[in-house]
Amino acid sequence: MRIKSFLAIAMTMFALSATAQEALWSGSQVKSPVVNSDGTVTFNLLAPKASRVVVTGDFLPPVVVDTPNGKQERPGTAELTEGRGGVWSYTTGKLSPELYSYSFRVNDMSILDPSNVYVNRDIASMTNIFIVSESAGDRGDLYRVNEVPHGDVSKVWYDSPTLKMKRRMTIYTPAGYDKGKNYPVLYLLHGAGGDEDAWTTLGRAAQILDNLIATGKAKPMIVVMPNGNPSCQAAPGAWSRGMYQPSFTESITPANAPAATMDESFPDIMKYVESHYKVGKSKHQRAICGLSMGGGHTFAISKRFPTLFDYIGLFSAGLHIGDRQTPFYEGLQKNKEVQQQLSALFGGHPRLYWIAIGKTDFLYQQNADLRRYLDEKGYPYEYKETDGGHIWRNWRLYLTEFAQKIFR
C-alpha cells in the first residue's frame, strides 16, 4: 500500500510539474493582442470569475479631465464581452499605423495583459504595448525593429562637478560608428517624471534613428539622452537610493535640492561626450531638443549658451520664467536678462528653431506666448501643430521629423 501511495503521489507531482512546465514555456492560454489583417486589433483575457473587464488604451477616444494644470486627456476605455470558457474579448475599429499602449481593469483592479510580454514604464505606470503597421515606412514600421543596420545603446556614467555627483546617461551611436569620425550630436531630453531610459523605451529613439539613417532620411548621428533630474544620479533602481517609488513630482520638489539647475550643469555632459566620443565640436554639428520639462530645459540651455547649438527643438515645452503662476508672455516682457539671452541666441542665426505641440496640450498657451514674443521680435522659427495633447504619440512624431531636419 505504501508503494502504491508513493507512486500515486509521484505521478500527481509529475503531472503538476509537467503542467507547470507547459505553462512556463507556452505562456497564456489565449493570444492577445491579435493584430488582424483588416487593421483591427482584438484583445483577449481569460478571466472566468470576473464580472467586468475593461481595456484602457490610447487607441480609444480620449477622456478629458480637470487637473491642477488644467484640462488634460486620459486614455479612453472599452468594455470586453465574456465568451466561451471565460475568455473576455474586445475588437477595435481599424487603427492607423502607430505604437499603442493599454492595460486591463478586472473587477476594478488594474492588471497588465498576461498574454503580452511587451511592457513599458512611464514614471510609475506600467502598460502593455503593440504596434500596427500597414506598409514599409509608416509610423508603425518606423517604431519597430527592422532588418537594417543597428546602432548601439549604452548606459554610461559621467562626473558632474556642477551637481557634485556621478550621473548616468544613455547614448546611441549609429551603425558603423567605429568606421567614421566627427559625428554630429543630438542631445535629447525627457520630460518631468522621466529619466535617461524614457526616450529609448517610450520614445523608441533607437528604432527611429536606425530606420531613418538606414533609409537615408537622417544623417548618422550620436544621440545623448541624459537624466534631466538634477537631484538624481540615474533612473529609479539604478543608483544608490534604491528601489524607491518614482513620481511625476520627483524632479520638481524642493526635497533633496540639487546643487545647480539642469542648464547650469549641462556643460558637464558635453565635456564627457566630446572627450569620449568621435563627435564634431562646432555649432553646426550640435542639436538639442526635448519634450515637456525637457523642452523647458532646451529653452533654458540654448539661451544660456547661445553659441553652442545650430538646431533647437521644443516639443510640448514646459516654459516658465520666475513664478510659475505668471503667464509666460508676461514673464518674457519683464525679464531683461532672458530678453538679452534670446537676442544673443537669434543674433547667432541658428539654422533651425523648431516648436511643436498638440492642439489640446495643456501647455499650449505657454508655447503660443513664446511664438507671440518671437514674432514680435522678428526671430525666425518653424512651427508644427498636431492633434492630441501631452502624449508620447506626438513626441515620437516630433523626434522623427526633427531628426530629418538637422545636420543637413
Side-chain angles (χ1 to χ4, degrees), residues 28-40:
S28 174
Q29 298 179 39
V30 299
K31 291 184 178 181
S32 177
V34 179
V35 180
N36 303 308
S37 59
D38 60 356
T40 64

Side-chain angles (χ1 to χ4, degrees), residues 47-246:
K49 296 184 179 181
S51 58
R52 182 175 184 239
V53 179
V54 173
V55 62
T56 300
D58 58 5
F59 51 88
L60 295 162
V63 177
V64 179
V65 298
D66 290 317
T67 74
N69 292 318
K71 293 186 181 298
Q72 295 190 31
E73 293 181 353
R74 295 286 186 267
T77 62
E79 301 274 347
L80 278 71
T81 302
E82 187 175 14
R84 295 179 58 183
V87 176
W88 295 71
S89 299
Y90 169 76
T91 298
T92 70
K94 178 179 171 59
L95 298 182
S96 301
E98 184 57 80
L99 182 148
Y100 297 97
S101 63
Y102 72 100
S103 61
F104 289 131
R105 194 164 185 85
V106 180
N107 296 350
D108 295 326
M109 181 172 66
S110 294
I111 67 168
L112 293 172
D113 187 342
S115 299
N116 185 355
V117 300
Y118 301 102
V119 178
N120 271 344
R121 175 182 67 85
D122 190 359
I123 309 176
S125 299
M126 304 293 291
T127 56
N128 294 106
I129 60 171
F130 66 95
I131 292 175
V132 174
S133 177
E134 294 178 350
S135 60
D138 65 24
R139 285 196 205 175
D141 183 62
L142 187 65
Y143 301 154
R144 65 185 180 188
V145 179
N146 289 307
E147 194 60 51
V148 299
H150 301 301
D152 293 323
V153 176
S154 303
K155 305 293 182 182
V156 302
W157 289 85
Y158 70 99
D159 185 41
S160 178
T162 309
L163 295 174
K164 298 178 172 56
M165 65 174 75
K166 295 284 188 180
R167 309 191 77 237
R168 193 177 80 152
M169 57 185 166
T170 302
I171 296 184
Y172 166 91
T173 51
Y177 166 76
D178 291 341
K179 299 177 182 177
K181 62 180 180 180
N182 294 333
Y183 287 94
V185 185
L186 168 62
Y187 293 90
L188 179 60
L189 312 182
H190 64 78
D195 48 62
E196 72 274 18
D197 293 338
W199 268 111
T200 50
T201 54
L202 296 155
R204 307 293 283 188
Q207 289 81 10
I208 291 171
L209 268 296
D210 277 353
N211 291 323
L212 289 178
I213 292 170
T215 54
K217 295 179 180 178
K219 294 286 188 180
M221 68 184 78
I222 292 172
V223 182
V224 178
M225 294 159 272
N227 189 307
N229 307 304
S231 60
C232 300
Q233 291 181 342
W239 61 299
S240 59
R241 186 175 172 186
M243 297 182 181
Y244 62 92
Q245 180 77 357

Side-chain angles (χ1 to χ4, degrees), residues 350-370:
R351 299 187 184 188
L352 177 66
Y353 198 93
W354 199 71
I355 301 171
I357 195 164
K359 295 176 182 177
T360 56
D361 196 302
F362 73 97
L363 296 176
Y364 187 92
Q365 186 57 51
Q366 294 178 18
N367 285 258
D369 286 350
L370 174 59

